[in-house]
């Protein structure tokens, strides 16, 4: 049996302080097979982006992978050299970052930044790279690509910058594409165009996609499997159809109930009370217990492990402890 394209095993990522370590991603495990899409959903501050940056090995200076494995094509890349990682990053694994303005180099033209992956990873000449770069801009919906190639990031709108980031990420047709809020700042028609681009990439190359977004509608449309994160932990992990048909964790149920429905337009929209706890004040037991209407005394005292239920579905909740 072949290895999954990506296999994350018991990943712990934290911030290194002077006298302590703050764990931001705790015991994260999931797999992603070639040609599949994994949707990761959760509120801001749940550790979604930090999980992606751990895979890319682009953590802030004060953060580090504490333990665990990140296997890509069967090889653990969690502690390989930066030189070895540079041959993978931008070539076999690409990422579309959430903030396009800070992700693009402000003193380099769009053309130079877009040509780089073609030259570095594919060995193209500058002329061929420029031609390919302009075709990439057209594919992501940017008109007048010759003019845009001469522009600097600050001269483009937020939506244009996001599309440029998408073009750069797709340049080498990566085996794994990580997208962090890829449709932020895009209007509905361009959103649809970008999502179709992702699907086209999968059809052509069999690429896998890790899709991080707050938009549960996009998760439902695009994802084969869904990972629900809360306060740095995976609280539910299952096939997308199972998640939306029968959510198990109270947090997953709360997220789905907070979505407006035309059929229920006269009903008051439900919400999850409270906010995600910060790293300095995590609950002693279940991290969701203070916001959960089903929490019992044990939930406040003991952190639940991950239980495997219902055809291999995984859920972190004491309700599903085996009898």
């Amino acid at each position: 049996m072949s290895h999954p394209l990506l296999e994350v095993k018991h990943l712990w990522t934290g911030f290194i302080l002077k006298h302590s370590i703050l764990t931001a991603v705790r015991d994260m495990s999931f797999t992603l097979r070639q040609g599949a899409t994994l949707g990761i959903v959760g509120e801001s501050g749940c550790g979604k982006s930090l999980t992606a940056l751990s895979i890319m090995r682009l953590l802030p200076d004060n953060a580090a992978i504490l333990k665990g494995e990140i296997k890509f094509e069967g090889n653990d890349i969690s502690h390989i050299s930066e030189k070895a990682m540079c041959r993978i990053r931008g070539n076999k694994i690409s990422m579309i970052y959430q903030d396009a303005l800070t992700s693009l180099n402000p003193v380099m033209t769009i053309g130079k930044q877009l040509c780089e992956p073609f030259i570095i990873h594919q060995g193209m000449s500058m002329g061929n790279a420029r031609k390919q770069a302009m075709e990439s801009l057209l594919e992501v919906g940017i008109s007048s690509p010759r003019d845009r190639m001469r522009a600097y990031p600050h001269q483009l709108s937020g939506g244009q910058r996001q599309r440029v980031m998408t073009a750069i990420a797709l340049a080498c047709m990566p085996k794994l594409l990580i997208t962090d809020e890829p449709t932020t700042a895009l209007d509905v028609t361009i959103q649809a165009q970008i999502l179709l681009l992702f699907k086209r990439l999968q059809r052509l190359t069999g690429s896998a996609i890790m899709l991080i977004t707050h938009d549960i509608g996009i998760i439902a449309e695009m994802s084969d499997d869904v990972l629900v994160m809360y306060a740095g932990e995976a609280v539910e992990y299952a096939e997308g159809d199972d998640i939306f048909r029968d959510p198990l964790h109270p947090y997953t149920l709360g997220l789905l109930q907070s979505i407006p429905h035309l059929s229920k337009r006269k009903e008051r929209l439900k919400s999850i009370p409270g906010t995600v706890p910060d790293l300095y004040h995590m609950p002693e037991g279940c991290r969701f217990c203070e916001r959960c209407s089903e929490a019992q005394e044990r939930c406040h005292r003991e952190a639940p492990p991950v239980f495997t239920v219902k055809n291999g579905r995984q859920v972190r909740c004491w309700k599903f402890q085996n009898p």
Side-chain angles (χ1 to χ4, degrees):
M1 183 176 179
S2 61
H3 294 286
L5 181 67
L6 178 70
E7 189 173 11
V8 176
K9 291 183 174 182
H10 306 293
L11 174 68
W12 295 63
T13 299
F15 292 95
I16 314 300
L17 306 182
K18 189 173 182 180
H19 299 295
S20 63
I21 296 176
L22 288 179
T23 302
V25 174
R26 178 180 178 274
D27 196 24
M28 183 66 60
S29 296
F30 59 85
T31 61
L32 180 53
R33 65 187 184 278
Q34 186 174 347
T37 299
L38 171 67
I40 302 182
V41 65
E43 294 169 274
S44 296
C46 285
K48 305 184 301 299
S49 297
L50 199 64
T51 300
L53 292 175
S54 298
I55 296 169
M56 292 295 292
R57 294 278 305 280
L58 289 174
L59 292 168
D61 291 339
N62 64 335
I65 295 173
L66 305 176
K67 56 183 175 179
E69 293 181 337
I70 301 171
K71 286 189 174 182
F72 177 70
E73 295 185 315
N75 300 311
D76 188 1
I77 63 172
S78 60
H79 293 96
I80 61 174
S81 68
E82 179 60 20
K83 183 178 180 180
M85 193 65 204
C86 283
R87 290 194 290 268
I88 297 173
R89 190 190 302 127
N91 184 23
K92 292 186 176 183
I93 305 177
S94 288
M95 182 169 175
I96 301 172
Y97 302 91
Q98 186 170 358
D99 189 345
L101 181 60
T102 57
S103 300
L104 293 169
N105 191 322
V107 298
M108 288 174 60
T109 63
I110 295 301
K112 188 171 183 180
Q113 296 183 65
L114 191 46
C115 286
E116 272 192 344
F118 295 113
I119 295 171
I120 294 173
H121 295 300
Q122 298 189 11
M124 288 187 182
S125 65
M126 177 58 77
N128 288 336
R130 287 187 62 82
K131 180 180 178 181
Q132 191 64 50
M134 285 190 283
E135 290 179 4
S136 298
L137 290 178
L138 286 172
E139 282 190 332
V140 296
I142 293 182
S143 58
S144 304
R146 193 176 301 275
D147 294 335
R148 297 293 177 262
M149 292 275 284
R150 293 192 291 265
Y152 289 88
H154 73 274
Q155 295 175 306
L156 304 182
S157 68
Q160 287 174 326
R161 288 193 293 265
Q162 193 74 17
R163 280 176 273 170
V164 168
M165 283 297 305
T166 301
I168 292 172
L170 297 180
C172 294
M173 293 191 174
K175 291 188 176 182
L176 171 60
L177 175 64
I178 302 174
T179 68
D180 192 356
E181 300 290 350
T183 55
T184 298
L186 301 180
D187 61 50
V188 175
T189 54
I190 298 299
Q191 282 186 25
Q193 186 176 348
I194 296 298
L195 295 178
L196 285 174
L197 261 179
F198 294 163
K199 291 179 178 179
R200 180 183 169 215
L201 176 70
Q202 284 185 312
R203 288 196 303 270
L204 289 176
T205 67
S207 297
I209 295 176
M210 181 186 297
L211 179 61
I212 300 171
T213 180
H214 291 90
D215 192 327
I216 296 180
I218 291 177
I219 292 283
E221 177 184 351
M222 295 285 294
S223 301
D224 299 294
D225 299 318
V226 175
L227 178 72
V228 182
M229 286 190 68
Y230 182 78
E233 296 180 332
V235 296
E236 188 165 355
Y237 177 41
E239 292 185 6
D241 290 343
D242 291 336
I243 289 278
F244 290 102
R245 183 179 61 251
D246 180 26
L248 300 181
H249 197 279
Y251 179 63
T252 308
L253 180 61
L255 288 178
L256 296 180
Q257 288 179 337
S258 67
I259 303 172
H261 292 276
L262 287 175
S263 61
K264 300 178 181 179
R265 59 185 181 273
K266 293 184 179 181
E267 296 181 15
R268 186 178 181 85
L269 195 64
K270 293 184 179 180
S271 63
I272 304 173
T275 58
V276 179
D278 63 53
L279 296 179
Y280 292 93
H281 302 96
M282 285 293 174
E284 182 179 346
C286 172
R287 294 188 170 188
F288 187 61
C289 66
E290 294 178 358
R291 305 175 68 189
C292 181
S293 61
E294 302 180 53
Q296 305 296 318
E297 183 182 352
R298 184 180 191 181
C299 302
H300 293 274
R301 290 185 288 103
E302 299 178 52
V306 172
F307 298 108
T308 301
V309 298
K310 294 188 178 182
N311 300 323
R313 296 180 63 175
Q314 296 180 4
V315 58
R316 190 185 296 271
C317 180
W318 285 118
K319 289 197 309 178
F320 299 95
Q321 182 180 23
N322 294 327

